[in-house]
Every structure is written in structure tokens, then in C-alpha cells.
């Protein structure tokens, strides 16, 4: 397929972490195509996306199955985030490399299925991990877990990350942003050569995918600067987690399927505090925090990433249904989406450059805040 007007018209619907990483990957692969017209169309942009609420922790979470495809996407994304942590992007984009402890069982009992006590397959993707021995488990004696592991992971503060992606994209004259809600992809017929659907939960209505369901997540952002690592643990009240970000710590959480409520629930907040205080008793003293609610795009059949030639002769590439793993799978899915797009709209050969791989995806555009900071040093 080729564009009839000699112009490559690509429209991405959705401006969350999936949509924007896909857009950045398109600019990388089509760097030599001056005739590219990339439109990002979305009802919501940061800070209004579901990702802005998330803790942004790298781990394939909320998925029924972690298969080879998920592992490939997660591994590619992990490498990108780790590279960015060791780059000039880390501070402004909110990327943190941190030890992450996962504990199974509470009060000496395993309250999950036996399968969950095995080391998950995604541990082979990270730079360092090991099962906790009895001496290490003793650090958490107040929880009395049955087993656990620690790994080196990454937390991405999405509310900082997305604005930096948007700033990079906005510097390219080939990119246009449209804030608008569409009710059917047919509205884009004859306006784009390829449409990329990254609308998350909205795909339930947009393309009629009834296998998509909300997985409601409520979190609490608090000031707890003494917590420097990520912890996930079982309690008698359920599963809790504590994830540090730049200036706050995210306490969670809930995973409530089929719940469309986007308003905070007091009982959920109390439960989150009760669970997290089991691990960190000092959190019992927390009296102030920001409660947020987001609806994860859970899909019964897992992530949908595929090309569709619609009955109306449109080329659509779908990428949605990431549940609680949107950040974890983002760059890997973006690569696969763009690989499909390249078969439909073959790009010119890439311009040679000496940029590192992760710098080809997106570059920080110097802003006034950064210039002032440099001047003060």
C-alpha cells in the first residue's frame, strides 16, 4: 500500500503512554520522510490520562498470562527505561531505578495459589534478581511472608514522562495534535492512510470490543521520603504495594473488575492505608495524601496488537487492552505497531546518525527551566 497523494498520513487515536511512545517510534523510523503527516487525536491529553494516575512501575501486572509476546515487549521496554535512567532524561522525565521486593504470603501462610510462589518468568529480563533466603525474609518478620524475591526495576513517573514526550513531538513540524472525541473510526476514513488505535478502555465503544472491561485502581499519593524501594506484599486485607516516585510515594491499591466508578471511595482509602501500614507502621501516622482513581483497560483475551483491513477499506492497527501493564509494555508494543505500519507505508532509508538507540526514540528539548538550572550551578 502507498499513499495516493505521495504524503504519508498516519493518525494515532489516543494520547496515553501507548499512543505517545508509538508516535515517537514513528518519528524515529520515518526520520527521512519529509512527506510524513502524523496526527495525534485524543479526547484527553496529559495530565488527564489513566497513565498519569499510575505508579508507572515496570512489571507485567494485571495480565492473565505472561507469554512470549508479553515478555518480548516488556524486555524491550525495560531496556529503554534503564537506558533513559542513565541519560540526560532521567530527572525531567521522572525515571527511577530502584530495588523492588515482592513478598508472598502473610503471617506464615501462603494466601495465594501455589503457582504464585514460583519465580515469575519476567525476572530473566531484569539486570539483577534473586529469591529471598530466610535471612532476607526475616527483615519482613512483622509480615511473616512465606517466600519472596527482589529485583532491580524502574518506576516511571508518568505525569512527568508524558509531558516530555509531548514536548519532543511538538517540536516536529510534521506532527499535529487534535483534542477531540470520535465515536467511530469511520470518521477518519479518507483522512489517513493508516489509523493506529491506542484508545485503551475506550475501544470498548469505539470498535465494539466487549471483551474490554475496566479494572478500577485507586491509589494514595503521600509524603514518605524514608521509603526508597518498591514493596509488594500480601496482608489479611489483600494485596498492597508501596512505590516511591520523585516527591511522593504511591500506596495501593485496588484491582476491581467491572467497576466504572472514577470517584474515590473512603473505605478503599482506609483499606489501602491499613494494608500499607502492615508493612510500614509509620504510615499509620499519615493524615494527608492525594487520592486518585483510574480505570485500567483489562481485556479478557489479552493485549490486541494487530492489523485490520476494515470492511470500509481502512487500514487500522490496533494496540489496546494492556490492563495494568501499559507502562511496562509501552515501547515494546510501539515497536511492533510501527513494524506493521512500515509494511503498509514503507519508509525511506534512515538517515545515518550517531545517536544512541534510546536517543533515537525521543530527545529532551531544552527548556527554560533547564537552562536556568544550569546557570545556577
Amino acid at each position: 500500500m502507498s499513499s495516493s497523494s505521495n504524503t504519508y498520513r498516519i493518525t494515532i487515536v489516543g494520547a496515553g503512554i501507548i499512543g505517545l511512545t508509538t508516535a515517537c517510534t514513528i518519528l524515529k523510523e520515518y526520520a527521512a520522510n519529509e512527506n510524513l503527516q502524523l496526527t495525534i487525536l485524543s479526547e484527553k491529553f496529559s495530565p488527564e490520562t489513566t497513565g498519569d494516575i499510575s505508579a508507572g512501575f515496570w512489571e507485567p501486572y494485571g495480565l492473565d498470562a505472561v507469554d512470549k509476546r508479553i515478555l518480548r515487549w516488556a524486555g524491550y521496554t525495560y531496556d529503554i527505561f534503564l537506558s533513559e535512567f542513565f541519560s540526560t532524561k532521567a530527572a525531567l522525565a521522572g525515571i527511577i531505578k530502584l530495588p523492588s521486593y515482592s513478598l508472598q504470603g502473610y503471617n506464615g501462610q501462603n494466601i495465594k495459589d501455589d503457582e504464585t510462589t514460583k519465580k515469575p518468568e519476567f525476572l530473566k529480563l531484569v539486570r539483577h534478581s534473586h529469591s529471598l533466603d530466610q535471612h532476607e525474609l526475616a527483615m519482613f518478620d512483622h509480615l511473616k511472608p512465606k517466600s519472596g524475591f527482589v529485583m532491580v526495576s524502574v518506576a516511571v513517573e508518568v505525569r512527568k514522562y508524558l509531558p516530555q514526550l509531548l514536548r519532543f513531538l511538538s517540536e516536529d513540524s510534521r506532527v499535529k495534535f487534535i483534542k477531540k472525541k470520535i465515536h467511530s473510526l469511520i470518521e477518519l476514513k479518507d483522512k489517513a492512510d493508516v489509523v493506529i488505535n491506542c484508545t485503551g478502555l475506550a475501544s470498548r465503544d469505539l470498535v465494539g470490543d466487549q471483551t474490554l472491561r475496566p479494572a478500577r485502581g485507586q491509589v494514595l499519593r503521600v509524603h514518605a521520603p524514608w521509603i526508597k524501594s518498591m514493596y509488594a506484599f500480601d496482608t489479611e486485607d489483600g494485596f498492597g504495594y508501596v512505590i516511591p516516585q520523585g516527591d511522593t510515594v504511591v500506596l495501593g491499591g485496588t484491582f476491581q473488575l467491572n467497576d466504572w466508578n472514577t470517584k474515590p471511595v473512603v473505605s478503599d482509602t482506609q483499606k489501602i492505608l491499613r494494608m500499607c501500614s502492615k508493612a510500614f507502621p509509620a504510615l499509620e501516622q499519615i493524615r494527608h495524601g492525594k487520592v486518585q482513581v483510574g480505570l485500567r483497560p483489562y481485556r479478557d483475551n489479552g493485549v490486541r496488537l494487530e492489523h485490520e483491513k476494515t470492511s470500509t477499506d481502512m487500514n487500522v492497527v490496533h494496540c489496546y487492552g494492556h490492563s495494568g501493564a501499559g507502562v511496562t509494555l509501552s515501547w515494546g508494543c510501539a515497536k511492533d505497531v510501527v513494524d506493521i505500519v512500515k509494511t503498509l507505508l514503507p519508509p525511506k532509508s534512515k538517515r545515518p546518525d550517531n545517536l544512541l538507540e534510546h536517543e533515537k526514540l525521543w530527545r529532551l528539548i531544552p527548556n527554560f527551566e533547564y537552562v536556568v538550572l544550569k546557570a545556577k550551578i
Side-chain angles (χ1 to χ4, degrees), residues 85-97:
F85 172 76
F86 288 107
S87 77
T88 59
K89 303 173 183 178
L92 287 178
I95 305 167
I96 303 171
K97 172 177 168 286

PDB file of all heavy atoms in Angstrom, residues 85-97:
ATOM      1  N   PHE A  85      17.314   6.039  32.283  1.00  0.00           N
ATOM      2  CA  PHE A  85      17.727   6.363  33.644  1.00  0.00           C
ATOM      3  C   PHE A  85      19.185   6.830  33.666  1.00  0.00           C
ATOM      4  O   PHE A  85      19.563   7.709  34.442  1.00  0.00           O
ATOM      5  CB  PHE A  85      17.550   5.152  34.558  1.00  0.00           C
ATOM      6  CG  PHE A  85      18.137   5.346  35.931  1.00  0.00           C
ATOM      7  CD1 PHE A  85      17.484   6.134  36.875  1.00  0.00           C
ATOM      8  CD2 PHE A  85      19.354   4.774  36.280  1.00  0.00           C
ATOM      9  CE1 PHE A  85      18.031   6.340  38.134  1.00  0.00           C
ATOM     10  CE2 PHE A  85      19.902   4.969  37.540  1.00  0.00           C
ATOM     11  CZ  PHE A  85      19.236   5.760  38.463  1.00  0.00           C
ATOM     12  N   PHE A  86      20.004   6.249  32.798  1.00  0.00           N
ATOM     13  CA  PHE A  86      21.417   6.623  32.733  1.00  0.00           C
ATOM     14  C   PHE A  86      21.665   7.671  31.646  1.00  0.00           C
ATOM     15  O   PHE A  86      22.762   7.751  31.103  1.00  0.00           O
ATOM     16  CB  PHE A  86      22.277   5.385  32.476  1.00  0.00           C
ATOM     17  CG  PHE A  86      22.366   4.466  33.652  1.00  0.00           C
ATOM     18  CD1 PHE A  86      21.697   3.254  33.664  1.00  0.00           C
ATOM     19  CD2 PHE A  86      23.107   4.817  34.768  1.00  0.00           C
ATOM     20  CE1 PHE A  86      21.770   2.396  34.750  1.00  0.00           C
ATOM     21  CE2 PHE A  86      23.192   3.965  35.868  1.00  0.00           C
ATOM     22  CZ  PHE A  86      22.527   2.755  35.855  1.00  0.00           C
ATOM     23  N   SER A  87      20.653   8.468  31.316  1.00  0.00           N
ATOM     24  CA  SER A  87      20.792   9.503  30.298  1.00  0.00           C
ATOM     25  C   SER A  87      20.415  10.855  30.880  1.00  0.00           C
ATOM     26  O   SER A  87      20.062  10.974  32.062  1.00  0.00           O
ATOM     27  CB  SER A  87      19.884   9.187  29.097  1.00  0.00           C
ATOM     28  OG  SER A  87      18.536   9.517  29.397  1.00  0.00           O
ATOM     29  N   THR A  88      20.453  11.872  30.051  1.00  0.00           N
ATOM     30  CA  THR A  88      20.065  13.222  30.483  1.00  0.00           C
ATOM     31  C   THR A  88      18.571  13.335  30.751  1.00  0.00           C
ATOM     32  O   THR A  88      18.111  14.342  31.283  1.00  0.00           O
ATOM     33  CB  THR A  88      20.437  14.252  29.407  1.00  0.00           C
ATOM     34  OG1 THR A  88      19.763  13.916  28.187  1.00  0.00           O
ATOM     35  CG2 THR A  88      21.941  14.273  29.184  1.00  0.00           C
ATOM     36  N   LYS A  89      17.799  12.326  30.405  1.00  0.00           N
ATOM     37  CA  LYS A  89      16.341  12.403  30.513  1.00  0.00           C
ATOM     38  C   LYS A  89      15.811  12.131  31.911  1.00  0.00           C
ATOM     39  O   LYS A  89      14.681  12.498  32.230  1.00  0.00           O
ATOM     40  CB  LYS A  89      15.699  11.392  29.557  1.00  0.00           C
ATOM     41  CG  LYS A  89      16.085  11.563  28.114  1.00  0.00           C
ATOM     42  CD  LYS A  89      15.537  10.412  27.286  1.00  0.00           C
ATOM     43  CE  LYS A  89      15.975  10.541  25.842  1.00  0.00           C
ATOM     44  NZ  LYS A  89      15.487   9.419  25.033  1.00  0.00           N
ATOM     45  N   ALA A  90      16.604  11.467  32.723  1.00  0.00           N
ATOM     46  CA  ALA A  90      16.074  10.863  33.942  1.00  0.00           C
ATOM     47  C   ALA A  90      15.337  11.849  34.842  1.00  0.00           C
ATOM     48  O   ALA A  90      14.233  11.563  35.316  1.00  0.00           O
ATOM     49  CB  ALA A  90      17.209  10.193  34.717  1.00  0.00           C
ATOM     50  N   ALA A  91      15.915  13.016  35.108  1.00  0.00           N
ATOM     51  CA  ALA A  91      15.320  13.939  36.076  1.00  0.00           C
ATOM     52  C   ALA A  91      14.004  14.520  35.579  1.00  0.00           C
ATOM     53  O   ALA A  91      12.973  14.426  36.256  1.00  0.00           O
ATOM     54  CB  ALA A  91      16.305  15.057  36.397  1.00  0.00           C
ATOM     55  N   LEU A  92      14.014  15.120  34.388  1.00  0.00           N
ATOM     56  CA  LEU A  92      12.802  15.764  33.885  1.00  0.00           C
ATOM     57  C   LEU A  92      11.702  14.755  33.568  1.00  0.00           C
ATOM     58  O   LEU A  92      10.517  15.066  33.674  1.00  0.00           O
ATOM     59  CB  LEU A  92      13.113  16.598  32.638  1.00  0.00           C
ATOM     60  CG  LEU A  92      13.879  17.896  32.879  1.00  0.00           C
ATOM     61  CD1 LEU A  92      14.163  18.610  31.564  1.00  0.00           C
ATOM     62  CD2 LEU A  92      13.103  18.816  33.810  1.00  0.00           C
ATOM     63  N   ALA A  93      12.095  13.546  33.155  1.00  0.00           N
ATOM     64  CA  ALA A  93      11.105  12.542  32.765  1.00  0.00           C
ATOM     65  C   ALA A  93      10.671  11.665  33.927  1.00  0.00           C
ATOM     66  O   ALA A  93       9.793  10.812  33.768  1.00  0.00           O
ATOM     67  CB  ALA A  93      11.649  11.672  31.636  1.00  0.00           C
ATOM     68  N   GLY A  94      11.259  11.829  35.106  1.00  0.00           N
ATOM     69  CA  GLY A  94      10.813  11.102  36.279  1.00  0.00           C
ATOM     70  C   GLY A  94      11.079   9.614  36.237  1.00  0.00           C
ATOM     71  O   GLY A  94      10.186   8.805  36.511  1.00  0.00           O
ATOM     72  N   ILE A  95      12.312   9.232  35.890  1.00  0.00           N
ATOM     73  CA  ILE A  95      12.652   7.809  35.780  1.00  0.00           C
ATOM     74  C   ILE A  95      13.553   7.418  36.955  1.00  0.00           C
ATOM     75  O   ILE A  95      14.596   8.026  37.169  1.00  0.00           O
ATOM     76  CB  ILE A  95      13.372   7.512  34.455  1.00  0.00           C
ATOM     77  CG1 ILE A  95      12.517   8.000  33.278  1.00  0.00           C
ATOM     78  CG2 ILE A  95      13.667   6.028  34.309  1.00  0.00           C
ATOM     79  CD1 ILE A  95      13.250   8.032  31.966  1.00  0.00           C
ATOM     80  N   ILE A  96      13.134   6.413  37.703  1.00  0.00           N
ATOM     81  CA  ILE A  96      13.849   5.993  38.897  1.00  0.00           C
ATOM     82  C   ILE A  96      14.196   4.507  38.784  1.00  0.00           C
ATOM     83  O   ILE A  96      13.336   3.680  38.484  1.00  0.00           O
ATOM     84  CB  ILE A  96      12.997   6.204  40.170  1.00  0.00           C
ATOM     85  CG1 ILE A  96      12.575   7.662  40.296  1.00  0.00           C
ATOM     86  CG2 ILE A  96      13.747   5.751  41.406  1.00  0.00           C
ATOM     87  CD1 ILE A  96      11.567   7.901  41.396  1.00  0.00           C
ATOM     88  N   LYS A  97      15.455   4.178  39.022  1.00  0.00           N
ATOM     89  CA  LYS A  97      15.877   2.773  39.110  1.00  0.00           C
ATOM     90  C   LYS A  97      15.912   2.419  40.586  1.00  0.00           C
ATOM     91  O   LYS A  97      16.478   3.151  41.393  1.00  0.00           O
ATOM     92  CB  LYS A  97      17.254   2.620  38.480  1.00  0.00           C
ATOM     93  CG  LYS A  97      17.930   1.278  38.659  1.00  0.00           C
ATOM     94  CD  LYS A  97      19.248   1.272  37.904  1.00  0.00           C
ATOM     95  CE  LYS A  97      20.122   0.083  38.271  1.00  0.00           C
ATOM     96  NZ  LYS A  97      20.720   0.246  39.629  1.00  0.00           N
TER      97      LYS A  97
END
